[in-house]
Amino acid sequence: MIRWFHRALALGAVAFVAACGSNNDPVPAPAPAPVSIAQTATDANLTALVAAATKAGLVPTLSDANANLTVLAPTNAAFNTLATRLGFTDATALVNALPAAALQSILQYHVIAGRVGAAAIQSGPATRPTLYTFGAAPATLAVSTTGGVGFTDAVLTRANVVTADVAASNGVVHVIDKVLVPPGVLNVVQMALANPDFTSLTGALASRNLVPTLSAAGPFTVFAPTNAAFTAIASTVASLTGPQLDTVLTYHVLAGQVLSTGIPFGTPVTTVAAPRQFTITAGPAPAIASIADSTATPARIVAVDIRASNGVIHVIDKVLIPSPL
């Protein structure tokens, strides 16, 4: 009896050990320790972001154990989209073409100080300061929580968070579906190209070889009609001769930078299509102001102060028609 008991006890012990080590009840592996933001981007195959950060000299910052940052990380597709809008073949060509200083400014515009999770962004302030400084102050991103978490940049386009709260040892990463465009880095043409609501305008500028002119040092003030504004007078635009279209396009441009705070309301303003002028009248809401041209319908200014490296863009909802053409 004693021998049988010892044998049963031994068999039970073997069975217990086998059960603990069986495939049906595996011992969980310890969770991997978080890695730096730079390594997180590499592990996530965000190759365009890593390439831009490398050229901009920001990898040490994103690897710093004491950094404590929140990074809005654009996908490779987001970089490719911006690249093609700006006339480059792909993200690699974009990174190769832009100066390191420009890439640094663009990427700093994607970084928020501190570790800010998606829930805190949703419940927090309507704007978030970034590490990019413009005009002696941190440039901000407007926060939107409609349809998920999103950020609106300086060119008035929205980036959506597609993967939130990726933990890193020195902060947190939120993956976004668009490259955020900061103020003061790209020229007025590039800023317009970065917003898909200005494709009619930029197409017309390219067709008349005005892109090099507006890409020069300037500064310029551009009153930029939306695609809907061009669509509304498509037949008129189609009937214009080349020189007439030149006149229409340059009628939307002022020499010098005129911010919204410096608009001379009620005073005729001479355009680049001199001696042709127009007059800007303040309000009423929701328009910020309106512009009286040669037609009976004024153009409303619906957004202001899109700051470029060589001037400023104000958005209008109608194509201005000068007289004479």
Side-chain angles (χ1 to χ4, degrees):
M1 176 66 72
I2 294 175
R3 182 180 300 172
W4 176 87
F5 176 77
H6 286 169
R7 182 182 178 195
L9 183 63
L11 289 173
V14 171
F16 176 76
V17 172
C20 289
S22 70
N23 291 332
N24 294 329
D25 189 17
V27 177
V35 296
S36 71
I37 293 170
Q39 189 60 51
T40 297
T42 300
D43 292 345
N45 199 35
L46 299 174
T47 55
L49 174 61
V50 173
T54 300
K55 182 173 179 178
L58 292 177
V59 171
T61 299
L62 299 179
S63 303
D64 184 354
N66 299 314
N68 197 30
L69 303 171
T70 297
V71 173
L72 309 175
T75 62
N76 292 336
F79 271 97
N80 282 327
T81 296
L82 178 63
T84 54
R85 284 181 182 165
L86 296 183
F88 300 103
T89 54
D90 55 21
T92 299
L94 171 70
V95 172
N96 288 340
L98 291 183
L103 289 171
Q104 184 178 93
S105 296
I106 291 170
L107 295 184
Q108 287 174 333
Y109 192 57
H110 289 75
V111 183
I112 298 168
R115 190 184 300 255
V116 187
I121 292 171
Q122 284 185 304
S123 61
T127 59
R128 287 280 179 177
T130 70
L131 294 194
Y132 170 59
T133 299
F134 179 72
T140 61
L141 293 166
V143 178
S144 172
T145 57
T146 303
V149 179
F151 300 89
T152 300
D153 61 8
V155 77
L156 306 182
T157 54
R158 170 175 162 145
N160 298 299
V161 174
V162 294
T163 304
D165 296 329
V166 181
S169 59
N170 58 346
V172 64
V173 175
H174 305 299
V175 181
I176 57 176
D177 63 359
K178 193 191 86 71
V179 177
L180 298 163
V181 178
V185 176
L186 305 179
N187 64 48
V188 290
V189 175
Q190 292 171 323
M191 292 294 276
L193 287 168
N195 187 324
D197 202 25
F198 297 131
T199 54
S200 296
L201 172 62
T202 55
L205 292 172
S207 73
R208 297 307 305 161
N209 198 32
L210 290 172
V211 169
T213 299
L214 292 178
S215 300
F220 304 101
T221 299
V222 178
F223 292 88
T226 61
N227 290 342
F230 273 94
T231 299
I233 62 161
S235 59
T236 299
V237 173
S239 69
L240 297 177
T241 65
Q244 286 175 327
L245 182 56
D246 290 344
T247 299
V248 169
L249 293 172
T250 54
Y251 186 61
H252 290 76
V253 182
L254 307 181
Q257 177 173 272
V258 181
L259 301 178
S260 60
T261 54
I263 292 176
F265 294 118
T267 302
V269 178
T270 301
T271 70
V272 170
R276 298 165 184 82
Q277 299 178 322
F278 56 64
T279 301
I280 306 174
T281 303
I288 295 163
S290 61
I291 302 175
D293 59 3
S294 66
T295 70
T297 305
R300 297 183 304 170
I301 301 177
V302 296
V304 295
D305 296 339
I306 300 175
R307 302 290 298 275
S309 61
N310 63 341
V312 63
I313 297 172
H314 306 304
V315 184
I316 58 177
D317 66 356
K318 174 185 173 292
V319 176
L320 302 170
I321 304 297
S323 180
L325 274 175

PDB file of all heavy atoms in Angstrom, residues 1 13 21-22 31 57 71 82 101 144 165 168 182 189 197 231 247 269 280 301 316 322:
ATOM      1  N   MET A   1       0.840  -1.198   0.000  1.00  0.00           N
ATOM      2  CA  MET A   1       0.000   0.000   0.000  1.00  0.00           C
ATOM      3  C   MET A   1       0.877   1.250   0.000  1.00  0.00           C
ATOM      4  O   MET A   1       0.604   2.203  -0.718  1.00  0.00           O
ATOM      5  CB  MET A   1      -0.903  -0.021   1.244  1.00  0.00           C
ATOM      6  CG  MET A   1      -1.755   1.222   1.416  1.00  0.00           C
ATOM      7  SD  MET A   1      -2.980   1.376   0.116  1.00  0.00           S
ATOM      8  CE  MET A   1      -4.099   0.070   0.609  1.00  0.00           C
ATOM      9  N   ALA A  13       2.746  14.252  -9.350  1.00  0.00           N
ATOM     10  CA  ALA A  13       3.683  15.370  -9.471  1.00  0.00           C
ATOM     11  C   ALA A  13       4.087  15.593 -10.914  1.00  0.00           C
ATOM     12  O   ALA A  13       4.168  16.723 -11.394  1.00  0.00           O
ATOM     13  CB  ALA A  13       4.918  15.096  -8.598  1.00  0.00           C
ATOM     14  N   GLY A  21       3.344  23.198 -17.832  1.00  0.00           N
ATOM     15  CA  GLY A  21       4.181  23.514 -18.987  1.00  0.00           C
ATOM     16  C   GLY A  21       3.547  23.152 -20.300  1.00  0.00           C
ATOM     17  O   GLY A  21       4.208  23.153 -21.321  1.00  0.00           O
ATOM     18  N   SER A  22       2.262  22.810 -20.307  1.00  0.00           N
ATOM     19  CA  SER A  22       1.627  22.365 -21.551  1.00  0.00           C
ATOM     20  C   SER A  22       1.301  23.538 -22.463  1.00  0.00           C
ATOM     21  O   SER A  22       1.243  24.684 -22.026  1.00  0.00           O
ATOM     22  CB  SER A  22       0.336  21.615 -21.225  1.00  0.00           C
ATOM     23  OG  SER A  22      -0.635  22.525 -20.738  1.00  0.00           O
ATOM     24  N   ALA A  31       6.115  41.539 -20.966  1.00  0.00           N
ATOM     25  CA  ALA A  31       5.912  42.572 -21.990  1.00  0.00           C
ATOM     26  C   ALA A  31       7.240  43.253 -22.288  1.00  0.00           C
ATOM     27  O   ALA A  31       8.024  43.526 -21.379  1.00  0.00           O
ATOM     28  CB  ALA A  31       4.898  43.598 -21.501  1.00  0.00           C
ATOM     29  N   GLY A  57      18.512  66.225 -38.344  1.00  0.00           N
ATOM     30  CA  GLY A  57      19.323  66.144 -37.136  1.00  0.00           C
ATOM     31  C   GLY A  57      18.518  66.017 -35.858  1.00  0.00           C
ATOM     32  O   GLY A  57      18.991  66.395 -34.774  1.00  0.00           O
ATOM     33  N   VAL A  71       4.694  62.952 -30.066  1.00  0.00           N
ATOM     34  CA  VAL A  71       4.997  63.097 -31.490  1.00  0.00           C
ATOM     35  C   VAL A  71       3.801  62.665 -32.326  1.00  0.00           C
ATOM     36  O   VAL A  71       3.254  61.576 -32.129  1.00  0.00           O
ATOM     37  CB  VAL A  71       6.247  62.272 -31.878  1.00  0.00           C
ATOM     38  CG1 VAL A  71       6.457  62.300 -33.393  1.00  0.00           C
ATOM     39  CG2 VAL A  71       7.477  62.815 -31.169  1.00  0.00           C
ATOM     40  N   LEU A  82       1.919  64.607 -49.628  1.00  0.00           N
ATOM     41  CA  LEU A  82       2.466  65.964 -49.646  1.00  0.00           C
ATOM     42  C   LEU A  82       3.492  66.115 -50.765  1.00  0.00           C
ATOM     43  O   LEU A  82       3.520  67.140 -51.455  1.00  0.00           O
ATOM     44  CB  LEU A  82       3.099  66.298 -48.301  1.00  0.00           C
ATOM     45  CG  LEU A  82       3.748  67.688 -48.225  1.00  0.00           C
ATOM     46  CD1 LEU A  82       2.711  68.786 -48.418  1.00  0.00           C
ATOM     47  CD2 LEU A  82       4.481  67.882 -46.893  1.00  0.00           C
ATOM     48  N   ALA A 101      17.027  72.558 -42.595  1.00  0.00           N
ATOM     49  CA  ALA A 101      16.356  73.511 -41.708  1.00  0.00           C
ATOM     50  C   ALA A 101      14.848  73.485 -41.915  1.00  0.00           C
ATOM     51  O   ALA A 101      14.080  73.592 -40.944  1.00  0.00           O
ATOM     52  CB  ALA A 101      16.895  74.920 -41.937  1.00  0.00           C
ATOM     53  N   SER A 144      -9.323  69.129 -33.139  1.00  0.00           N
ATOM     54  CA  SER A 144     -10.710  68.807 -33.453  1.00  0.00           C
ATOM     55  C   SER A 144     -11.022  67.416 -32.920  1.00  0.00           C
ATOM     56  O   SER A 144     -10.191  66.505 -33.025  1.00  0.00           O
ATOM     57  CB  SER A 144     -10.948  68.845 -34.965  1.00  0.00           C
ATOM     58  OG  SER A 144     -12.237  68.363 -35.283  1.00  0.00           O
ATOM     59  N   ASP A 165      -1.751  56.635 -28.951  1.00  0.00           N
ATOM     60  CA  ASP A 165      -1.152  56.161 -27.695  1.00  0.00           C
ATOM     61  C   ASP A 165      -0.170  55.011 -27.872  1.00  0.00           C
ATOM     62  O   ASP A 165      -0.222  54.005 -27.158  1.00  0.00           O
ATOM     63  CB  ASP A 165      -2.259  55.750 -26.722  1.00  0.00           C
ATOM     64  CG  ASP A 165      -3.144  56.908 -26.315  1.00  0.00           C
ATOM     65  OD1 ASP A 165      -2.637  58.038 -26.267  1.00  0.00           O
ATOM     66  OD2 ASP A 165      -4.343  56.678 -26.051  1.00  0.00           O
ATOM     67  N   ALA A 168       6.205  55.031 -25.786  1.00  0.00           N
ATOM     68  CA  ALA A 168       7.655  55.019 -25.973  1.00  0.00           C
ATOM     69  C   ALA A 168       8.300  55.307 -24.621  1.00  0.00           C
ATOM     70  O   ALA A 168       7.645  55.796 -23.691  1.00  0.00           O
ATOM     71  CB  ALA A 168       8.078  56.055 -27.003  1.00  0.00           C
ATOM     72  N   PRO A 182       3.534  73.703 -41.409  1.00  0.00           N
ATOM     73  CA  PRO A 182       3.660  74.831 -40.478  1.00  0.00           C
ATOM     74  C   PRO A 182       3.627  76.171 -41.202  1.00  0.00           C
ATOM     75  O   PRO A 182       3.798  76.242 -42.431  1.00  0.00           O
ATOM     76  CB  PRO A 182       5.033  74.586 -39.852  1.00  0.00           C
ATOM     77  CG  PRO A 182       5.813  73.929 -40.947  1.00  0.00           C
ATOM     78  CD  PRO A 182       4.824  73.072 -41.693  1.00  0.00           C
ATOM     79  N   VAL A 189       3.070  79.671 -53.168  1.00  0.00           N
ATOM     80  CA  VAL A 189       2.609  78.666 -54.140  1.00  0.00           C
ATOM     81  C   VAL A 189       2.572  77.294 -53.487  1.00  0.00           C
ATOM     82  O   VAL A 189       1.599  76.531 -53.643  1.00  0.00           O
ATOM     83  CB  VAL A 189       3.500  78.658 -55.394  1.00  0.00           C
ATOM     84  CG1 VAL A 189       3.087  77.529 -56.337  1.00  0.00           C
ATOM     85  CG2 VAL A 189       3.430  79.995 -56.111  1.00  0.00           C
ATOM     86  N   ASP A 197      -7.929  72.326 -51.853  1.00  0.00           N
ATOM     87  CA  ASP A 197      -9.012  73.223 -52.250  1.00  0.00           C
ATOM     88  C   ASP A 197      -8.534  74.345 -53.152  1.00  0.00           C
ATOM     89  O   ASP A 197      -9.333  75.184 -53.581  1.00  0.00           O
ATOM     90  CB  ASP A 197      -9.687  73.812 -51.008  1.00  0.00           C
ATOM     91  CG  ASP A 197     -11.105  74.293 -51.289  1.00  0.00           C
ATOM     92  OD1 ASP A 197     -11.741  73.779 -52.230  1.00  0.00           O
ATOM     93  OD2 ASP A 197     -11.586  75.183 -50.563  1.00  0.00           O
ATOM     94  N   THR A 231     -15.061  77.043 -60.227  1.00  0.00           N
ATOM     95  CA  THR A 231     -16.123  76.269 -60.868  1.00  0.00           C
ATOM     96  C   THR A 231     -17.312  77.161 -61.206  1.00  0.00           C
ATOM     97  O   THR A 231     -17.956  77.004 -62.252  1.00  0.00           O
ATOM     98  CB  THR A 231     -16.573  75.111 -59.963  1.00  0.00           C
ATOM     99  OG1 THR A 231     -15.455  74.255 -59.731  1.00  0.00           O
ATOM    100  CG2 THR A 231     -17.699  74.310 -60.585  1.00  0.00           C
ATOM    101  N   THR A 247      -3.953  88.711 -66.347  1.00  0.00           N
ATOM    102  CA  THR A 247      -4.482  89.886 -65.654  1.00  0.00           C
ATOM    103  C   THR A 247      -5.375  89.482 -64.491  1.00  0.00           C
ATOM    104  O   THR A 247      -5.284  90.052 -63.393  1.00  0.00           O
ATOM    105  CB  THR A 247      -5.263  90.777 -66.637  1.00  0.00           C
ATOM    106  OG1 THR A 247      -4.376  91.228 -67.673  1.00  0.00           O
ATOM    107  CG2 THR A 247      -5.849  91.990 -65.934  1.00  0.00           C
ATOM    108  N   VAL A 269      -7.098  99.535 -53.190  1.00  0.00           N
ATOM    109  CA  VAL A 269      -5.793  98.881 -53.108  1.00  0.00           C
ATOM    110  C   VAL A 269      -5.314  98.562 -54.517  1.00  0.00           C
ATOM    111  O   VAL A 269      -6.048  97.955 -55.307  1.00  0.00           O
ATOM    112  CB  VAL A 269      -5.892  97.583 -52.284  1.00  0.00           C
ATOM    113  CG1 VAL A 269      -4.538  96.870 -52.251  1.00  0.00           C
ATOM    114  CG2 VAL A 269      -6.368  97.870 -50.878  1.00  0.00           C
ATOM    115  N   ILE A 280     -11.588  96.764 -50.117  1.00  0.00           N
ATOM    116  CA  ILE A 280     -11.964  95.762 -49.121  1.00  0.00           C
ATOM    117  C   ILE A 280     -12.818  96.434 -48.044  1.00  0.00           C
ATOM    118  O   ILE A 280     -12.459  97.492 -47.522  1.00  0.00           O
ATOM    119  CB  ILE A 280     -10.713  95.123 -48.487  1.00  0.00           C
ATOM    120  CG1 ILE A 280      -9.778  94.572 -49.569  1.00  0.00           C
ATOM    121  CG2 ILE A 280     -11.111  94.012 -47.520  1.00  0.00           C
ATOM    122  CD1 ILE A 280      -8.454  94.043 -49.046  1.00  0.00           C
ATOM    123  N   ILE A 301     -14.009  87.282 -47.930  1.00  0.00           N
ATOM    124  CA  ILE A 301     -12.785  86.721 -47.348  1.00  0.00           C
ATOM    125  C   ILE A 301     -13.219  85.780 -46.231  1.00  0.00           C
ATOM    126  O   ILE A 301     -13.798  86.203 -45.238  1.00  0.00           O
ATOM    127  CB  ILE A 301     -11.861  87.818 -46.800  1.00  0.00           C
ATOM    128  CG1 ILE A 301     -11.477  88.791 -47.914  1.00  0.00           C
ATOM    129  CG2 ILE A 301     -10.605  87.195 -46.193  1.00  0.00           C
ATOM    130  CD1 ILE A 301     -10.623  89.963 -47.433  1.00  0.00           C
ATOM    131  N   ILE A 316     -10.620  83.499 -50.410  1.00  0.00           N
ATOM    132  CA  ILE A 316     -11.859  84.153 -50.840  1.00  0.00           C
ATOM    133  C   ILE A 316     -12.752  83.160 -51.562  1.00  0.00           C
ATOM    134  O   ILE A 316     -12.288  82.140 -52.067  1.00  0.00           O
ATOM    135  CB  ILE A 316     -11.579  85.385 -51.744  1.00  0.00           C
ATOM    136  CG1 ILE A 316     -10.760  84.984 -52.985  1.00  0.00           C
ATOM    137  CG2 ILE A 316     -10.857  86.473 -50.958  1.00  0.00           C
ATOM    138  CD1 ILE A 316     -10.518  86.138 -53.962  1.00  0.00           C
ATOM    139  N   PRO A 322     -11.237  91.901 -62.882  1.00  0.00           N
ATOM    140  CA  PRO A 322     -10.868  93.317 -62.971  1.00  0.00           C
ATOM    141  C   PRO A 322     -11.491  93.983 -64.208  1.00  0.00           C
ATOM    142  O   PRO A 322     -12.011  93.323 -65.101  1.00  0.00           O
ATOM    143  CB  PRO A 322      -9.357  93.258 -63.119  1.00  0.00           C
ATOM    144  CG  PRO A 322      -9.108  91.977 -63.863  1.00  0.00           C
ATOM    145  CD  PRO A 322     -10.171  91.022 -63.373  1.00  0.00           C
TER     146      PRO A 322
END
